[in-house]
Amino acid sequence: MVEKKREFFFYVLFCADGTLYGGFTVDLAQRVATHNAGKGAKYTRVKSRRPVRLIYSESYEKKHDALSAEYHFKHQTRAAKIVFLKLHDVQLPKM
């Protein structure tokens, strides 16, 4: 039996208030649903930030790499985050 390799994801959400949130997960669909249910990260529990929309994700073989991507994204200015997303062909949704 072939064992499936585990994937680790760095993802970016576009929040209802126009802010950006970066996170880490092993299950994208479940994690986005958790955020939208108000049970995700403290940041997305704020009602004005929901609903959230997944606008970018990247998979990694190593957990460390996904966590590193999340850390680097979160510690940038909004302008730098937007540049990162544009470099990855992501258009921010209209509010």
Side-chain angles (χ1 to χ4, degrees):
M1 185 164 113
V2 175
E3 196 173 311
K4 184 181 176 192
K5 277 192 168 187
R6 189 158 194 191
E7 284 184 289
F8 302 95
F9 296 93
F10 158 65
Y11 64 92
V12 178
L13 302 176
F14 184 79
C15 301
D17 65 357
T19 59
L20 300 168
Y21 175 81
F24 159 84
T25 190
V26 294
D27 185 337
L28 280 171
Q30 179 60 45
R31 189 66 181 144
V32 172
T34 300
H35 283 294
N36 277 322
K39 298 177 182 176
K42 187 185 211 181
Y43 188 83
T44 58
R45 281 187 222 147
V46 176
K47 191 169 180 152
S48 65
R49 293 198 174 109
R50 290 183 273 123
V52 301
R53 194 175 346 167
L54 180 68
I55 60 170
Y56 177 78
S57 67
E58 191 169 342
S59 67
Y60 296 86
E61 289 183 14
K62 295 179 183 175
K63 182 178 182 179
H64 174 271
D65 294 340
L67 287 169
S68 180
E70 174 194 21
Y71 176 87
H72 285 64
F73 184 83
K74 283 185 171 182
H75 291 87
Q76 295 182 52
T77 63
R78 178 176 174 83
K81 290 174 183 178
I82 291 170
V83 168
F84 170 88
L85 292 168
K86 284 183 178 180
L87 289 172
H88 290 87
D89 297 321
V90 176
Q91 297 265 328
L92 291 182
K94 300 282 185 207
M95 292 209 31

